[in-house]
C-alpha cells in the first residue's frame, strides 16, 4: 500500500477517539483536549466504557456503539487491546487509524498489521505522537502546542522531535501544513507520506527527520518523485554511527552507513542538513524559488571584517568567490571610486542607501557571479533600515535579472525592522554572514542534486558487450567450492569480461611455470601468491615486485612458497600469478569498489587508491545503476578530482575512460547479485586511459534475487524485443533511457503540427529540455516507456520512430498511458504494437486499469483504443476530451 486511504488520515470528516478520558495527565486526556479545541469541523466521538462524558461530549462504550462510522480513529488504549479494536473499526468501515499507544512487542505489531490489512485500513504508529493539520483544525496528538497554519510539512519518526520542532517553530512564527509523527511504522512509512504530500497542493516543502528507513527502493522512488515537484529537506540522525563491521576489503571498510545515506539522498534530489536552524534556513532559501546556476558568490558589505568572515565561510565550505567581469569593475569604480572593485566589495562604514543600490545594481548585472550576498553592520552614521529598503527597491527594479540576492543585517534591535522588511518582500535574510553563506551553498547543493534528476547524460562512448557466460562460470565455481573470494587471477578475468583493461596476468602452478610465464611476458614483472585463503598477499610475503629475469622469478617463487607456508600454514596454495609491471610514471592510483549495504544494497565507491587508501579517506559513494553523468558527478565529489584535471607539466587524465570503467563496474554489479564486494586498487589512470593492477571480488549466495536487492530498479533489459511493421521494416523495441532525449527531440521535429496538437492538446513546436527529460528519465519501478528505434533511411543513424509510456499511481492500481509515432509511420501498425506491449507489461506488474485522455477529433487514436478493447467515456469536465480505459488482469512479474 502507499497513498490509498491516506486522505481519511489527513482529511477526515469524522473522528473516533478510543481511550478518551478525563483523568488528568494522561495521554487520552491530552489527545481529547487537543482534538476538541483545535477547531475541527466534524463529529468527534469519544469511546470509553468507564467515562460518561469527555470534554463535555457523551462517550460510547465500544466501537460497535458508535452512531456513525468514523473516517479516522485515534487509539490510546493499552497495546494488548489495539489489534481487536482495529479489527472492529475495520468491520465498521473505518479506513485510517492513529495508534498512539506504545509498548508493542514485535509480535503485537505484526498482529496489529494483520488486523488492519483485510480492511485496507491505514495505520500510523504505533508509538506515535499523532498528527496535526492546522489548516483543517486537526490536532490528533498529545503535543503541547498547536502550531499556526503554514505550507511546510514535517514528517518525523521521533515524537519528541515533533514536539521540539513545533515548540521551536511556534516561538518564531513558523507555520505548518502537516506535522506527522510516524512512530514504529507498522504500516505508513516515509515512502507513503512522501507520495501523499508531494500531491498535496497545500504543501510547499517537505521536511523529514529520519532515524532509519525500512524499504529503500520504496523510499527512493517516492523521494525522487517528490523532489521533482517541491523541495524535500532531510535531517538524518546518527551521522557518527560506524556500526558496520570492518571488512576485509578497502571498500567495505570505507563505506560506512551514514555516507551511504548521503549518497541516497543526493541521488534522490533532496537536500540534507544537520540541525534545526539549518533546516528552516533551507526552507526559507529554497522557498523563494531563487534560481542559481553555479557556486560563485559576490559579497557586498559595509564592514571589511564581516566580508572577510563571509569569505572564509564560503571558501572553507567549498564555494567560490566570484571574479568580477571587466564591465562590472568599470561600473563599480565609476560609482564608488577607483580601487573599489574587489570581491568582497567593501563600500565603507558610512555607506549610504544610494551606495548600496549602485553597487547591487552592478553586481546583479555581472555574468561572472551566481548570487549576491549583501551584508550590513550597524554604525552610528548610517540608517540600516534605509539601506535595507534600497536593497529591496533595487531588487524590484531588477526583477528580470536572474541572480538571487541574500542578506544579513548584523545586530539585534537595530536589525529587527530590516529583517521584517526583507521577510515581507520574500528576500532571504539571515542572522549572521556564516548562516547566509550556508544558505547560498544550500542553493548550490540543491541545484546539483536536481540536475542529477533532470540532466541528460551523454551516451556511453563504448558499446561494450560483456562476456556474461564466462563471469557466470567463474562465480558459480567459486560458490560451489564454498569460497568467499575469487582469486586475483579470476577477479581480473571477470573485469576483462566486462571490458575493464587489466594488466597482463598469467597463472602458474609451479616456480618453473612462473619462470616460463616471465619469459613470455618480458620486462619488469610482479609475482604474487595464488591462494583462495589469502586476501592481503603483501601481509604474508606473497608479493614480489620489479623482477626482470625468468631465473629471478623462479628463485623468488620458491622463496615465496616458503615464506607463505610459514606465515599461514593452513592456507591452500594454488600457485602464482605473474604479471607485467605497468610503467606509467604519471598515472594516478585510484580505487573503484563496491560493497553491500544492509538497507540500500550495492554501493559503489570511487576515490584515491594505493596502499594508504584507508588513511587518506578520499572517496565518494553512489548507488547503482550509473550513467556517464552520474559517474562523472561521483568522481567530482573527491579531492583527487582536481588533480585529475592536470596541472603544471602533468597531463590531464582521460576522465571519460575512468567514468566508463565506473559504468562497467556498475553494470557488472547489477548483472551479478552474487558479487558481495569488489575492489580495484590500484586502478592506474593517466592521459592514455586506465589499467587495473589488482582486484578482489567477494561472492556468495545473494539474500535477494536479481535486481530486487538494488535500491533503484535498473534498466529492464528483459523487455527488449524486435517487431516488424506492415511494410516489412523491423525495429528494436526497448525501455527508454535518459540518453534518449536527443532522439525524442528529433522525433518531435519530424511530427506534423496537427499530430503534435492531437498528442499534447495544444500547438507545440518543440519540447523543452524539462519536458523531454521527464519523458526519458523515469523510475522503472513506477513508470515504463518503450521506444521503437531503428536506422534512419537516409543517414543510417539510429532514430526513434515511436514511443509509448505508462505512469502508475503510487498504489500500482491505475496507470495513465501516452503513445506517439512519427507522422510518416501512420497506418503501419507501429502504434498498435507498442500499445499491446505496454498493456502486456502493465498486466505483468499487476496494474488493474490503464486509462488515457484523447481529443474527440483524434479518430485514429480512438479507433486504435476501440480495437484494443478500451471503453470510452465522455469527460464532462473538459468538453472535447474523451476518457478511455481498459480493465486488466494478471499477476506481478519477477524483476
Amino acid at each position: 500500500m502507499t497513498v490509498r486511504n491516506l486522505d481519511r488520515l489527513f482529511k477526515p470528516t469524522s473522528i473516533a477517539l478510543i481511550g478518551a478520558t478525563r483523568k488528568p495527565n494522561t495521554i487520552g486526556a491530552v489527545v481529547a483536549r487537543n482534538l476538541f479545541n483545535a477547531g475541527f469541523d466534524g463529529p468527534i466521538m469519544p469511546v470509553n466504557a468507564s467515562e460518561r462524558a469527555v470534554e463535555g461530549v457523551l462517550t460510547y462504550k465500544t466501537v460497535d456503539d458508535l452512531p456513525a462510522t468514523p473516517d479516522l480513529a485515534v487509539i490510546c488504549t493499552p497495546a494488548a487491546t489495539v489489534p481487536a479494536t482495529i479489527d472492529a473499526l475495520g468491520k465498521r468501515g473505518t479506513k485510517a487509524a492513529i495508534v498512539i499507544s506504545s509498548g508493542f512487542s514485535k509480535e503485537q505489531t505484526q498482529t496489529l498489521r494483520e488486523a488492519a490489512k483485510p480492511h485496507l485500513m491505514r495505520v500510523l504508529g504505533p508509538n506515535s505522537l499523532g498528527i496535526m493539520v492546522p489548516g483543517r483544525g486537526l490536532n490528533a496528538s498529545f503535543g503541547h502546542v498547536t502550531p499556526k497554519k503554514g505550507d511546510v510539512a514535517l514528517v518525523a519518526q521521533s515524537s519528541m522531535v515533533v514536539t521540539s520542532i513545533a515548540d521551536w517553530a511556534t516561538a518564531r512564527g513558523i507555520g505548518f501544513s502537516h506535522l506527522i509523527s510516524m512512530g514504529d511504522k507498522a504500516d505508513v512509512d516515509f515512502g507513503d507520506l512522501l507520495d501523499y504530500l508531494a500531491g498535496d497542493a497545500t504543501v510547499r516543502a517537505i521536511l523529514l527527520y529520519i532515524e532509519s528507513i525500512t524499504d529503500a527502493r520504496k523510499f527512493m522512488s517516492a523521494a525522487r518523485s517528490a523532489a521533482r515537484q517541491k523541495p524535500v529537506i532531510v535531517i538524518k540522525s546518527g551521522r557518527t554511527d560506524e556500526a558496520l563491521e570492518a571488512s576485509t576489503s578497502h571498500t567495505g571498510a570505507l563505506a560506512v552507513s551514514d555516507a551511504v545515506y548521503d549518497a541516497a539522498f543526493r541521488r534522490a534530489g533532496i537536500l540534507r542538513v544537520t540541525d534545526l536552524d539549518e533546516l528552516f534556513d533551507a526552507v526559507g532559501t529554497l522557498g523563494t524559488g531563487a534560481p542559481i546556476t553555479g557556486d560563485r558568490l559576490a559579497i557586498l558589505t559595509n564592514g571589511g571584517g564581516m566580508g572577510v568572515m563571509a569569505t572564509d565561510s564560503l571558501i572553507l565550505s567549498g564555494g567560490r568567490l566570484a571574479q568580477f567581469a571587466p564591465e562590472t569593475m568599470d561600473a563599480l569604480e565609476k560609482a564608488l571610486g577607483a580601487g573599489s572593485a574587489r570581491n568582497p566589495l567593501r563600500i565603507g562604514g558610512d555607506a549610504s542607501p544610494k551606495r548600496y543600490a549602485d553597487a547591487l545594481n552592478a553586481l546583479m548585472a555581472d555574468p561572472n557571479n551566481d548570487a549576491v550576498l549583501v551584508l550590513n553592520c550597524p554604525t552610528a552614521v548610517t540608517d540600516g533600515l534605509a539601506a535595507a529598503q534600497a536593497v529591496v527597491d533595487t531588487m524590484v527594479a531588477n526583477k528580470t535579472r536572474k541572480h538571487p540576492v541574500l542578506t544579513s543585517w548584523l545586530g539585534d534591535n537595530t536589525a529587527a525592522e530590516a529583517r521584517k522588511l526583507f521577510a515581507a518582500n520574500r528576500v532571504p535574510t539571515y542572522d549572521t554572514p556564516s548562516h547566509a553563506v550556508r544558505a547560498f551553498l544550500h542553493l548550490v547543493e540543491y541545484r546539483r542534486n536536481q540536475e542529477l534528476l533532470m540532466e541528460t547524460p551523454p551516451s556511453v562512448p563504448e558499446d561494450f558487450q560483456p562476456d556474461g557466460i564466462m563471469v557466470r562460470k567463474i562465480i558459480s565455481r567459486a560458490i560451489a567450492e564454498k569460497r568467499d573470494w575469487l582469486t586475483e587471477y579470476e577477479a581480473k578475468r571477470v573485469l576483462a569480461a566486462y571490458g575493464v583493461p587489466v594488466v597482463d596476468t598469467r597463472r602458474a602452478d609451479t616456480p618453473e611455470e612462473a619462470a616460463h610465464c616471465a619469459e613470455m611476458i618480458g620486462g619488469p614483472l610482479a609475482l604474487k601468491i595464488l591462494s583462495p585463503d589469502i586476501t592481503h598477499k603483501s601481509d604474508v610475503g606473497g608479493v614480489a615486485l620489479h623482477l626482470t629475469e625468468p631465473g629471478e622469478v623462479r628463485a623468488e617463487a620458491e622463496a615465496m612458497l616458503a615464506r607463505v607456508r610459514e606465515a599461514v600454514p593452513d592456507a591452500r596454495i594454488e600457485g602464482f600469478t605473474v604479471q607485467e609491471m605497468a610503467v606509467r610514471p604519471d598515472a594516478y592510483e585510484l580505487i573503484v569498489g563496491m560493497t553491500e549495504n544492509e538497507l540500500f544494497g550495492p554501493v559503489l565507491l570511487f576515490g584515491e587508491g594505493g596502499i594508504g587508501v584507508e588513511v587518506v579517506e578520499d572517496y565518494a559513494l553512489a548507488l547503482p545503476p550509473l550513467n556517464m553523468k552520474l559517474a562523472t558527478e561521483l568522481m567530482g565529489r573527491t579531492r583527487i578530482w582536481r588533480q585529475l584535471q592536470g596541472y603544471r607539466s602533468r597531463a590531464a587524465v582521460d576522465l571519460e575512460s575512468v567514468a566508463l570503467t565506473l559504468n562497467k563496474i556498475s553494470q557488472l554489479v547489477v548483472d551479478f547479485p552474487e558479487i558481495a564486494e569488489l575492489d580495484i586498487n590500484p586502478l592506474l589512470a593517466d592521459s592514455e586511459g586506465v589499467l587495473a593492477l589488482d582486484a578482489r571480488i567477494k561472492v556468495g549466495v545473494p539474500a535477494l534475487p536479481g535486481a530486487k536487492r538494488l535500491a533503484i530498479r535498473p534498466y529492464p533489459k528483459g523487455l527488449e524485443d524486435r517487431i516488424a511493421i506492415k511494410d516489412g521494416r523491423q525495429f528494436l523495441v526497448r525501455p527508454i533511457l535518459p540518453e534518449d532525449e536527443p532522439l525524442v527531440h528529433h522525433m518531435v521535429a519530424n511530427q506534423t503540427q496537427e499530430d503534435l496538437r492531437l498528442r499534447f492538446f495544444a500547438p507545440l513546436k518543440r519540447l523543452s529540455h524539462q519536458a523531454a527529460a521527464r519523458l526519458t528519465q523515469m523510475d522503472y519501478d513506477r513508470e515504463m516507456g518503450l521506444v521503437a528505434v531503428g536506422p534512419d533511411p537516409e543517414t543510417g543513424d539510429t532514430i526513434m520512430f515511436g514511443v509509448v509510456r505508462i505512469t502508475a499511481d503510487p498504489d500500482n492500481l491505475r496507470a495513465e498511458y501516452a503513445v506517439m509515432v512519427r507522422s510518416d509511420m501512420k497506418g503501419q501498425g507501429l502504434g498498435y504494437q507498442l500499445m499491446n506491449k505496454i498493456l502486456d507489461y502493465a498486466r505483468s506488474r499487476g496494474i488493474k486499469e490503464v486509462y488515457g485522455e484523447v481529443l474527440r477529433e483524434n479518430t485514429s487514436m480512438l479507433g486504435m483504443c476501440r480495437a484494443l478493447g478500451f471503453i470510452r467515456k465522455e469527460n464532462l469536465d473538459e468538453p472535447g476530451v474523451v476518457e478511455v480505459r481498459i480493465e486488466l488482469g494478471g499477476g506481478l512479474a519477477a524483476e
Side-chain angles (χ1 to χ4, degrees), residues 92 263 324 481-482:
R92 286 291 305 261
F324 297 151
E481 295 175 356
K482 301 187 183 307

Side-chain angles (χ1 to χ4, degrees), residues 299 305-319 321 344 434 437:
I299 300 172
M306 286 300 170
V308 172
M309 290 175 62
T311 300
D312 286 345
S313 295
L314 177 70
I315 302 303
L316 292 173
S317 300
L321 272 181
S434 62
V437 168

Side-chain angles (χ1 to χ4, degrees), residues 29 56 109 111 170 184 206 212 276 303 340 445 488 554 663 667 686 712 719 723 774 848 862:
T109 301
T111 303
T170 299
D184 294 338
I206 303 171
S212 64
L276 292 186
S340 300
E445 179 71 13
E488 181 189 4
R554 183 177 61 252
N663 270 277
Q667 190 61 51
D686 58 19
I712 300 172
L719 295 179
I723 62 171
R774 283 299 299 123
K848 303 303 181 186
L862 291 173

Side-chain angles (χ1 to χ4, degrees), residues 101-115:
S101 316
S102 60
F104 282 71
S105 66
K106 289 184 178 180
E107 293 75 16
Q108 287 174 319
T109 301
Q110 181 61 29
T111 303
L112 163 62
R113 189 180 297 115
E114 291 171 353

Side-chain angles (χ1 to χ4, degrees), residues 302 348-353 377-384:
N302 70 336
D350 60 346
S352 65
C377 304
T379 72
V381 296
T382 59
D383 185 341

Side-chain angles (χ1 to χ4, degrees), residues 3 6 10-11 132-133 151-156 177-180 182 189-208 222 225-226 229-232 810:
V3 300
L6 287 185
F10 298 112
K11 300 177 181 178
M132 305 178 211
V133 187
D151 55 9
V152 175
L154 170 69
V155 182
S177 62
H178 303 74
L179 289 99
I180 305 166
M182 295 177 58
D189 63 13
F190 281 111
D192 301 330
L193 294 173
L194 280 167
D195 278 325
Y196 180 84
L197 296 171
D200 189 326
T202 68
V203 178
R204 174 176 59 85
I206 303 171
L207 313 183
L208 305 177
S225 176
Q229 302 172 63
K230 55 192 67 172
V232 181

Side-chain angles (χ1 to χ4, degrees), residues 531-594:
S531 169
D533 301 323
I534 301 174
T535 303
H536 297 291
K537 296 175 282 292
S538 58
D539 293 347
V540 295
V543 177
L545 306 176
H546 304 292
L547 306 177
T548 57
E549 299 293 334
E552 186 182 9
V553 170
R554 183 177 61 252
E556 180 56 41
E558 292 170 348
M560 184 177 292
L561 274 176
R563 290 196 303 270
V564 172
R565 283 172 176 159
E566 182 178 353
V568 277
D570 296 331
R572 291 168 290 171
I573 308 298
E574 295 183 351
F576 309 89
T577 58
V578 184
Q579 65 185 50
E580 65 174 325
M581 289 196 64
V583 182
R584 300 174 77 158
D586 289 333
Y588 291 90
E589 291 189 343
L590 306 175
I591 181 172
V592 171
M594 166 265 170

Side-chain angles (χ1 to χ4, degrees), residues 857-873:
E857 60 200 278
N858 193 348
T859 55
S860 61
M861 175 64 71
L862 291 173
M864 182 178 71
C865 288
R866 185 169 54 252
L868 287 165
F870 279 77
I871 298 171
R872 173 173 171 168
K873 177 184 176 182

